[in-house]
Amino acid sequence: FRGRLAGSYAVKLASAWAETSREDGHAFGINFPNANSVRLLTSDRLGWTPILRPSFLVRPLPGLRFTERPPGGLPPFLANLGGRALAAGLSLLKRPPKAPPGRIVELDGFDARFDALWHREAERAPAAFLRDAATLSWRYTSHPAYRYRILAFERGDEIAAYLVASPRSLMGLESLLVVDGWAAPSDTGLLAVLAADLARRAAKEGVGILGAQV
């Protein structure tokens, strides 16, 4: 909603969300604001407090190709040349982690095995966002605007770890953003295995950069 009253409606909506959360018994809420909402959420009316600033990590891939002038005014052909050289150097320096027994699969949705992983490991995490199958399906397979890809590590009949990524266009670059993931504390190395496999798949598909906000 845009217009003179947009800020007032936004405050009412955020206040109502916070009140509903309190009534449901939650002790706190977490939000990842954008540039338009951070001042509103941290205003005296709402009183939210910044506690961390995620870093945006980027790995260039061999298919990097700017379709518009990149930031900083560098000509696209020079940016493409430099990015591809960096991608080639990283490929030589960073060997993919060795995968343990199991297999990596790309799935269309979240089944009961994701529930089993969540219930098996959630109590060991000091803090975590809900990641059962129903929540993941609502967040990623039913999204009205964006498409998400699910990469999972299967060990026997179980899901041991997974990553969720979304194709986007950033700064004129075809990109793939890692937006979610989960593994048992003893299996966090599987996330690196999945990330390396995702980079390999993205490179074969001509994606320019792999990114993640962490």
Side-chain angles (χ1 to χ4, degrees):
F1 181 81
R2 299 185 181 278
R4 187 169 295 178
L5 297 177
S8 175
Y9 283 117
V11 168
K12 290 179 181 178
L13 182 62
S15 298
W17 183 90
E19 182 58 33
T20 299
S21 299
R22 281 191 292 269
E23 291 174 354
D24 285 345
H26 298 291
F28 63 92
I30 297 176
N31 182 281
F32 293 93
N34 58 35
N36 293 324
S37 64
V38 64
R39 290 177 61 186
L40 180 148
L41 291 170
T42 57
S43 67
D44 292 339
R45 293 284 302 275
L46 294 173
W48 290 52
T49 302
I51 59 171
L52 59 87
R53 292 183 180 275
S55 298
F56 186 60
L57 305 182
V58 173
R59 176 174 175 175
L61 300 174
L64 185 147
R65 184 173 68 86
F66 282 94
T67 57
E68 60 187 51
R69 199 171 188 86
L74 196 66
F77 80 93
L78 283 179
N80 293 338
L81 188 63
R84 290 170 186 170
L86 181 58
L90 288 172
S91 296
L92 291 173
L93 292 172
K94 300 289 186 181
R95 294 185 178 276
K98 186 177 180 181
R103 65 174 187 147
I104 297 173
V105 294
E106 189 160 354
L107 303 174
D108 295 327
F110 302 93
D111 54 34
R113 295 177 299 170
F114 289 85
D115 276 329
L117 173 63
W118 170 252
H119 293 303
R120 192 167 64 241
E121 303 298 341
E123 290 185 359
R124 305 188 195 183
F129 293 105
L130 181 63
R131 285 183 171 91
D132 60 11
T135 303
L136 293 170
S137 296
W138 164 80
R139 178 67 180 87
Y140 299 118
T141 64
S142 304
H143 199 285
Y146 294 117
R147 183 168 60 89
Y148 293 92
R149 299 174 63 175
I150 308 158
L151 209 62
F153 193 91
E154 288 184 342
R155 182 185 291 146
D157 296 330
E158 296 181 341
I159 296 293
Y162 66 87
L163 288 179
V164 181
S166 182
R168 304 289 173 92
S169 179
L170 298 176
M171 301 177 293
L173 284 171
E174 291 301 314
S175 310
L176 192 61
L177 302 185
V178 177
V179 297
D180 207 337
W182 182 258
S186 58
D187 280 334
T188 51
L190 292 179
L191 296 177
V193 170
L194 288 172
D197 190 79
L198 186 63
R200 180 188 61 79
R201 293 170 187 247
K204 288 181 63 176
E205 295 163 5
V207 174
I209 60 172
L210 188 66
Q213 192 175 42
V214 298

